[in-house]
C-alpha cells in the first residue's frame, strides 16, 4: 500500500520535494503513524505548524462545526470569525490592523507591497529598496525569494525582483553602511529558522530598530516561524524589547490550516486602502475559526510559557549531549525552536532517526532542527536525546 502511494506520487506530482519514504496517515498529540502502523514522535510538527499537536479535539470540533455553517464567502463581506481573529491579534501585539492571506510567502508579499506603497503614497518614489539578511528565508514567490538571502532559493529564477540587497545577520555595521534615503524597509526574522536557528546577538534587534528610525525606514519582522508562542513568548520580538512596523505570521496560526497574516501599525497600514491588495481565500470563516480556537487554547494552557520551560529543559539536555559528542559544534535557539549544528553533514541522521521513530529535520545541511508541538513532554525529549546519544556514537 505505502509503496503504491509513493510510486504514484513520484509519478504524478511535481518533483519539488524529495520526500522521505513513509506515508503518514494519522496523528495524535505529538505522535504520527504511517500506513505500515509505525509510530513516530514528531519533532517537526509540520515545520513549526502543529503547535497544539495533531488531531487536537477542540480544533477538529471547531473546524467541523464551522464547515457545517460557512466555509467561505468572499472578502466582499464581513464575517464573524475573521473579525474576531483580527481583534484578538491586534489586542496581543503592537499592530492596529491585519491583512489575512493563506501562507507565509503571501504574508511577506503583502508586507513588501505595503512597505513600498507607504513611501509611494508620500511621493518618495526612490524609496523602494528593501534590505534583508544573508541566510534569511522569506518564501518562494518571486518577491519573497528576491528578499531571501540564499542563492540556492533564487537559482534558476533570474531575473529576480530589483530593489533587494542583503547584509550579514548580526552585523550592525554592515547594515549601517547600506541603509540610506532609498531604503524602504529592513526585513528580517528575529531568529533565523531555515538559516540554521540563528539568534540575534544581545542588542542587535534594538540597534536595527534605531537605524530604521534614524533613516526613516520601516522595520519588517518575519515571525512566520518564530511567532505564536514557539520561542517562549507569543511573538519572538517580545524577548528583545523592540516592536516592528510590520509583522508577518503564518505557520502555527491555525494549527495546520493554511492562513497567513500581515500586521501593521495604523500609520503604515493606511497605505493599504480600498483595492490596494486582495486575496480570494484570505481569512475565510473556516481557517479563522481554527485560528481563534488555536489562540484560545494557547492562552488557556499558557503554551508560550510552557515552550520556554520545556525548551530550557531540552536545551540543557542538548548542551550535555554536546559535551559528550565532539561532532556537535553548537546548540542554538530559543524556547522550542532549537537546533544542533554538527561539524559534519547532518542530513544523513534524519532517516536514521526516522528509522528509530523520531521525525526531525535538517537545515543548511549541517544543522538538525527541532520544532516539536509546544505540548511535547519532557519524557519524549529524553527519548529523542537518548536516541541522538546512541546515533552520534
Ligand atoms: C515558512 C516560512 C516562510 C514561508 O511560508 P510559506 O507558508 O511556506 O509560504 C517565510 N518566512 C519564514 C521565516 C518561514 O519560516
Amino acid at each position: 500500500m505505502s509503496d503504491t502511494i509513493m510510486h504514484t506520487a513520484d509519478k504524478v506530482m511535481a518533483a519539488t520535494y524529495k520526500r522521505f519514504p513513509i506515508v503518514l496517515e494519522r496523528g495524535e498529540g505529538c505522535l504520527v503513524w504511517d500506513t505500515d502502523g509505525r509510530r513516530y514522535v514528531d519533532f517537526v510538527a509540520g515545520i513549526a505548524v502543529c503547535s497544539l499537536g495533531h488531531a487536537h479535539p477542540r480544533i477538529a470540533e471547531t473546524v467541523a462545526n464551522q464547515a457545517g455553517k460557512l466555509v467561505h464567502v468572499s472578502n466582499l463581506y464581513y464575517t464573524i470569525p475573521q473579525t474576531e481573529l483580527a481583534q484578538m491579534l491586534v489586542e496581543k501585539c503592537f499592530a492596529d490592523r491585519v491583512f489575512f492571506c493563506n501562507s507565509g510567502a503571501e504574508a511577506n508579499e503583502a508586507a513588501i507591497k505595503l512597505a513600498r506603497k507607504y513611501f509611494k503614497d508620500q511621493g518618495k518614489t526612490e524609496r523602494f529598496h528593501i534590505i534583508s539578511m544573508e541566510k534569511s528565508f522569506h518564501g518562494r514567490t518571486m518577491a519573497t525569494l528576491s528578499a531571501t538571502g540564499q542563492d540556492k532559493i533564487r537559482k534558476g529564477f533570474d531575473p529576480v525582483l530589483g530593489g533587494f540587497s542583503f547584509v550579514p545577520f548580526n552585523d550592525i555595521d554592515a547594515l549601517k553602511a547600506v541603509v540610506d534615503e532609498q531604503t524602504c524597509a529592513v526585513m528580517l526574522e528575529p531568529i533565523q529558522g531555515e538559516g540554521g536557528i540563528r539568534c540575534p546577538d544581545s542588542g542587535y534587534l534594538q540597534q536595527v530598530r534605531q537605524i530604521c528610525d534614524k533613516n526613516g525606514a520601516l522595520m519588517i519582522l518575519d515571525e512566520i516561524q518564530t511567532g505564536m508562542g514557539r520561542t517562549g513568548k507569543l511573538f519572538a520580538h517580545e524577548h528583545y524589547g523592540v516592536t516592528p512596523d510590520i509583522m508577518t505570521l503564518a505557520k502555527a496560526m491555525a494549527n495546520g490550516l493554511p492562513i497567513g497574516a500581515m500586521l501593521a501599525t495604523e500609520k503604515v497600514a493606511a497605505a493599504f486602502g480600498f483595492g490596494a491588495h486582495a486575496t480570494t481565500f484570505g481569512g475565510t470563516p473556516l481557517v479563522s475559526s481554527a485560528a481563534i480556537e488555536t489562540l484560545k487554547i494557547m492562552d488557556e494552557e499558557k503554551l508560550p510559557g510552557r515552550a520556554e520551560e520545556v525548551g530550557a529543559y531540552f536545551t540543557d539536555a542538548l548542551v550535555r549531549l554536546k559535551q559528550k559528542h565532539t561532532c556537535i559544534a553548537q546548540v542554538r535557539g530559543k524556547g522550542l525552536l532549537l537546533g544542533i549544528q554538527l561539524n559534519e553533514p547532518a542530513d544523513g541522521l534524519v532517516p536514521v532517526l526516522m528509522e528509530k521513530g523520531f521525525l526531525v529535520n535538517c537545515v543548511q545541511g549541517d544543522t538538525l532542527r527541532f520544532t516539536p508541538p509546544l505540548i511535547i513532554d519532557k519524557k519524549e525529549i529524553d527519548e529523542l536525546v537518548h536516541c541522538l546519544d546512541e546515533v552520534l556514537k
Side-chain angles (χ1 to χ4, degrees):
M1 151 85 152
S2 55
D3 282 345
T4 319
I5 295 288
M6 291 189 273
H7 183 73
T8 308
D10 289 344
K11 220 166 60 185
V12 299
M13 291 203 285
T16 51
Y17 279 93
K18 180 154 175 47
R19 292 183 165 83
F20 292 103
I22 54 174
V23 181
L24 296 175
E25 197 171 34
R26 70 189 172 90
E28 197 184 315
C30 297
L31 303 175
V32 288
W33 284 265
D34 69 15
T35 43
D36 297 327
R38 277 179 306 216
R39 193 195 86 147
Y40 305 87
V41 188
D42 189 359
F43 281 82
V44 177
I47 313 190
V49 167
C50 303
S51 288
L52 309 177
H54 298 281
H56 195 289
R58 278 175 61 181
I59 300 296
E61 195 191 330
T62 300
V63 169
N65 284 343
Q66 188 62 44
K69 204 166 160 190
L70 192 68
V71 171
H72 170 77
V73 277
S74 158
N75 285 311
L76 293 170
Y77 311 100
Y78 296 96
T79 68
I80 297 167
Q82 189 182 74
T83 312
E84 253 182 50
L85 176 60
Q87 181 70 29
M88 285 172 89
L89 288 170
V90 300
E91 272 169 13
K92 289 176 184 299
C93 72
F94 71 95
D96 303 302
R97 289 182 185 270
V98 188
F99 176 85
F100 289 117
C101 49
N102 314 287
S103 67
E106 280 176 70
N108 284 334
E109 189 85 22
I112 292 164
K113 285 182 71 177
L114 177 66
R116 283 192 169 181
K117 189 153 185 304
Y118 174 73
F119 290 109
K120 288 285 184 321
D121 284 1
Q122 300 171 36
K124 297 177 181 162
T125 50
E126 293 301 298
R127 196 154 201 153
F128 60 83
H129 285 95
I130 295 185
I131 299 165
S132 54
M133 301 295 145
E134 288 172 11
K135 292 202 166 79
S136 58
F137 182 75
H138 297 300
R140 300 288 197 143
T141 62
M142 279 310 294
T144 58
L145 72 79
S146 303
T148 290
Q150 299 187 57
D151 288 340
K152 66 171 192 214
I153 307 267
R154 294 199 302 274
K155 202 176 141 214
F157 300 107
D158 289 329
V160 298
L161 239 61
F164 290 88
S165 58
F166 307 97
V167 293
F169 186 60
N170 272 333
D171 185 340
I172 204 70
D173 291 330
L175 182 65
K176 257 187 208 151
V178 294
V179 175
D180 60 20
E181 62 286 350
Q182 299 195 343
T183 306
C184 161
V186 177
M187 176 171 187
L188 74 170
E189 302 151 83
I191 298 171
Q192 291 190 328
E194 305 300 309
I197 324 294
R198 294 179 188 277
C199 294
D201 293 341
S202 158
Y204 176 69
L205 291 176
Q206 281 166 321
Q207 286 176 294
V208 172
R209 177 75 265 184
Q210 282 162 12
I211 292 174
C212 288
D213 289 343
K214 203 163 145 251
N215 289 275
L218 300 176
M219 182 174 179
I220 303 174
L221 280 182
D222 177 345
E223 291 243 23
I224 289 164
Q225 190 159 152
T226 53
M228 309 311 293
R230 175 146 302 273
T231 69
K233 303 264 187 212
L234 192 57
F235 305 115
H237 66 260
E238 295 170 32
H239 291 290
Y240 304 107
V242 289
T243 56
D245 302 289
I246 301 174
M247 170 171 75
T248 53
L249 297 174
K251 289 195 162 77
M253 275 185 80
N255 207 49
L257 278 84
I259 182 169
M262 190 273 300
L263 300 94
T265 59
E266 183 68 43
K267 190 174 152 213
V268 176
F272 264 8
F274 298 135
H277 193 47
T279 166
T280 297
F281 289 119
T284 63
L286 187 75
V287 295
S288 296
S289 68
I292 291 168
E293 196 67 8
T294 301
L295 265 172
K296 281 186 184 160
I297 295 167
M298 284 196 172
D299 265 350
E300 285 168 28
E301 298 182 6
K302 300 189 170 58
L303 289 183
R306 186 168 199 284
E308 180 146 58
E309 189 220 316
V310 178
Y313 178 85
F314 198 172
T315 305
D316 284 349
L318 292 173
V319 168
R320 280 197 302 276
L321 202 64
K322 178 179 178 291
Q323 285 156 0
K324 271 179 78 178
H325 299 274
T326 53
C327 64
I328 301 180
Q330 243 185 357
V331 176
R332 290 193 295 259
K334 208 167 180 65
L336 284 170
L337 178 58
L338 294 173
I340 53 174
Q341 183 177 14
L342 304 190
N343 292 312
E344 54 195 66
D347 44 357
L349 287 176
V350 174
V352 175
L353 289 164
M354 200 176 81
E355 191 62 36
K356 295 185 180 294
F358 298 94
L359 301 186
V360 303
N361 98 319
C362 176
V363 288
Q364 300 295 314
D366 63 356
T367 302
L368 290 180
R369 170 173 56 183
F370 309 111
T371 54
L374 306 186
I375 58 164
I376 192 90
D377 279 329
K378 290 180 180 170
K379 189 172 142 284
E380 289 162 319
I381 291 169
D382 290 343
E383 284 166 14
L384 173 73
V385 172
H386 178 73
C387 183
L388 278 167
D389 190 21
E390 297 282 303
V391 165
L392 290 172
K393 259 174 203 158

